[in-house]
């Protein structure tokens, strides 16, 4: 009440002054002494990192409901989980776009403007911020194609209220430039220190993270522009990629606010009053692949069904009625759930792991873009992927002997190398569903069998992108040009079947 009275008083005084005389002290009078004029860069960087990890809202909708079920990591009988039914839900589809632009993008642009001006911070901070900005936009352009990029988040800074939609090709080439220049700005001095939730401000790790992002982005262009892709992949390898123990992830805690919690954990952690309502189960595709490979991760990722003594995956594309006709189980209690030990609200959120980096290096070697051993990188990737689960719970340990046996029983086959690498990448990116979905679209591995749920909107094909927000079309006049350029019809339902630029 005191604050409300104070605001009303300031407004009244302002009106009186503007109608009587000019006053040199007007600006000072109307400045709230309790408001921060400049935000501490350390605090802002921490905030942006958490915002990039995201809340339950977008993680539930874009990562789980859509990406995880389309990629057949998870399956569900709940009708509102649109992903493996190939339905279009406008709010679910645009959820990542809606949240990231109003939060992470806006604050990141403000932080970069502050650091570039020299008003606060240092060059190492700026380099790290530029790399993290790439993380934000990389995820969004992979899901949506052409998006606001070069002018995004500059409404307050430069008065750009209607940013242009840049082409994905331009975005990718600029993101690679940003990575290269950002890495070069990182020295052994300065940085965000403990305010950096990724590496605690460690400059060497940040440089290797930047090069590993360069490797991922370069490889993403492998089918659409192999010459350019090879150039950036080779540059990333020369710079040096992530080493064992350097996975890029953000730790989360159980509060005090929602943003400190793992957004996926908030949905799947049934012990925390989850709104997931127990809908998702491990997909039959995923479970059967792990069974076929005698994969020890199945007992890490999954919990045995209530009604069963061995793992059983739920087929994608069923509902509460058609499950009754399914020969492998007629109720959700007949199927494996996600292990609660790895989907706590305090679980880490993975962005890029050593395993992913090693599999990409293996692919580069197969393509002739890297002189290293494809087999060695492949095996390194498997080891790192299995060891990675220790980060989720200290009790989850896969012994070296178990990993050795797995590799011996699933040896690298040069003739089928791309399939093997793609499938292992898919297994290693469970719970990093945005990345799993993107790499599947690029490589085609694993080879998934689509569902054909009644009244689906894709003609029984797995969606190849998420749709932009419909409301943006009536707000930003630049959006129509972007739709026309990508051959996207005005019917947003049809967007799900139009590949993004790099998906060839």
């Amino acid at each position: 009440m005191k604050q409300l009275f104070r605001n009303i008083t300031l407004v009244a005084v302002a009106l009186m002054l503007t109608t009587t005389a000019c006053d040199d002290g007007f600006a000072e009078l109307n400045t709230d002494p309790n408001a921060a004029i400049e935000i501490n860069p350390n605090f802002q960087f921490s905030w942006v990192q958490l915002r990039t990890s995201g809340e339950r809202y977008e993680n539930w909708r874009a990562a789980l409901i859509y990406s995880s079920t389309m990629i057949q990591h998870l399956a569900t009988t709940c009708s509102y989980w649109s992903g493996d039914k190939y339905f279009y839900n406008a709010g679910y589809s645009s959820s990542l776009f809606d949240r990231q632009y109003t939060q992470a993008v806006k604050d990141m642009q403000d932080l970069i403007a502050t650091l570039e001006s020299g008003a606060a911070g240092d060059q190492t901070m700026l380099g790290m911020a530029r790399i993290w900005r790439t993380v934000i936009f990389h995820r969004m352009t992979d899901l949506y194609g052409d998006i606001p990029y070069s002018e995004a988040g500059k409404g307050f800074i430069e008065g750009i209220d209607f940013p242009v939609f840049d082409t994905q090709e331009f975005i990718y080439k600029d993101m690679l430039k940003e990575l290269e220049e950002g890495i070069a700005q990182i020295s052994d001095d300065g940085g965000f220190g403990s305010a950096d939730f990724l590496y605690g401000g460690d400059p060497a790790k940040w440089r290797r993270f930047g090069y590993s992002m360069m490797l991922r982005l370069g490889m993403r262009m492998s089918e659409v522009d192999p010459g350019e892709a090879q150039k950036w992949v080779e540059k990333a390898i020369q710079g040096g990629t992530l080493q064992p123990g350097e996975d890029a992830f953000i730790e989360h805690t159980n509060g005090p606010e929602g943003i400190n919690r793992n957004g996926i954990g908030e949905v799947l952690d049934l012990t925390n009053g989850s709104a997931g309502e127990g809908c998702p189960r491990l997909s039959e595709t995923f479970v059967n692949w792990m069974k076929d490979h005698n994969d020890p991760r199945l007992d890490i990722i999954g919990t045995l069904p209530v009604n069963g003594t061995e793992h059983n995956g739920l087929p994608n594309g069923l509902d509460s009625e058609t499950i009754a006709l399914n020969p492998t189980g007629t109720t959700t209690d007949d199927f494996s759930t996600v292990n609660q030990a790895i989907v706590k609200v305090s679980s880490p959120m993975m962005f890029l792991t050593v395993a992913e980096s090693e599999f990409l290096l293996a692919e580069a070697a197969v393509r002739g873009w890297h002189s290293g051993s494809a087999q060695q990188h492949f095996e390194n990737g498997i080891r790192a992927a299995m060891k990675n689960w220790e980060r989720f719970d200290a009790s989850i340990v896969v012994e070296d002997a178990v990993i050795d046996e797995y590799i011996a029983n699933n040896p690298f086959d040069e003739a089928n190398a791309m399939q093997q690498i793609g499938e292992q990448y898919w297994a290693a990116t469970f719970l990093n569903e945005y990345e799993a979905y993107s790499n599947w679209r690029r490589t085609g591995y694993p080879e998934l069998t689509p569902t054909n749920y009644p009244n689906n909107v894709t003609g029984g094909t797995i969606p190849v992108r998420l749709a932009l927000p419909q409301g943006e079309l009536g707000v930003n006049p630049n959006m129509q040009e972007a739709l026309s350029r990508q051959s996207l019809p005005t019917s947003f339902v049809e967007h799900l079947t139009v590949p993004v630029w790099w998906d060839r």
Side-chain angles (χ1 to χ4, degrees), residues 457-471:
V457 300
T458 66
T461 62
I462 300 174
V464 289
R465 77 159 78 202
L466 295 188
L468 292 159
Q470 294 186 34

Side-chain angles (χ1 to χ4, degrees), residues 293-309:
H293 292 78
N294 197 22
D295 199 310
R297 286 172 290 186
L298 182 53
D299 286 327
I300 295 172
I301 290 170
T303 299
L304 292 174
V306 173
N307 300 331
T309 57

Side-chain angles (χ1 to χ4, degrees), residues 3 46 56 64 87 89 135 137 159 192 225 242 253 297 338 344 346 349 378 453-454 471 478:
Q3 184 63 39
S46 298
R56 182 176 70 178
L64 292 176
F87 287 162
N89 182 296
V135 172
F137 281 106
F192 293 100
D225 193 345
L242 292 174
T253 61
R297 286 172 290 186
V338 182
K344 296 174 289 193
S346 57
M349 182 71 80
F378 177 75
Y453 191 81
N478 296 309

Side-chain angles (χ1 to χ4, degrees), residues 106-184:
K106 178 170 63 67
D107 283 300
M108 177 54 80
Q109 290 301 134
D110 179 66
L111 173 60
I112 287 177
T114 299
L115 296 173
E116 286 180 335
S117 71
D122 54 54
Q123 287 297 296
T124 295
M125 286 180 171
L126 180 57
M128 293 174 178
R130 292 173 76 177
I131 292 171
W132 195 255
R133 178 179 180 271
T134 297
V135 172
I136 297 169
F137 281 106
H138 166 54
R139 179 180 284 178
M140 288 200 296
T141 188
D142 279 356
L143 279 186
Y144 299 109
D146 295 6
I147 56 173
Y149 173 76
S150 59
E151 296 180 348
K154 297 183 178 180
F156 178 75
I157 299 170
E158 298 182 23
I160 301 175
D161 295 322
F162 307 110
V164 298
F165 280 68
D166 294 297
T167 67
Q168 189 173 61
E169 180 178 8
F170 170 83
I171 293 169
Y172 255 77
K173 291 178 179 178
D174 193 75
M175 288 192 300
L176 287 161
K177 175 190 72 68
E178 285 293 292
L179 287 172
E180 184 174 35
E181 294 179 0
I183 292 167

Side-chain angles (χ1 to χ4, degrees), residues 340-402:
Q340 290 292 289
I342 65 172
V343 286
K344 296 174 289 193
V345 294
S346 57
S347 293
M349 182 71 80
M350 293 291 166
F351 287 89
L352 198 161
T353 64
V354 172
E356 294 170 54
S357 183
E358 287 292 332
F359 290 134
L360 292 173
L361 290 170
E363 182 180 341
V366 171
R367 291 178 179 273
W369 298 351
H370 175 34
S371 61
S373 165
Q375 178 177 343
Q376 188 61 62
H377 284 302
F378 177 75
E379 293 177 359
N380 290 347
I382 291 173
R383 292 183 187 280
M386 292 196 179
K387 292 293 187 183
N388 188 52
W389 291 109
E390 294 180 27
R391 298 195 182 280
F392 289 75
D393 193 293
S395 67
I396 301 175
V397 178
V398 184
E399 300 294 342
D400 291 338
V402 174

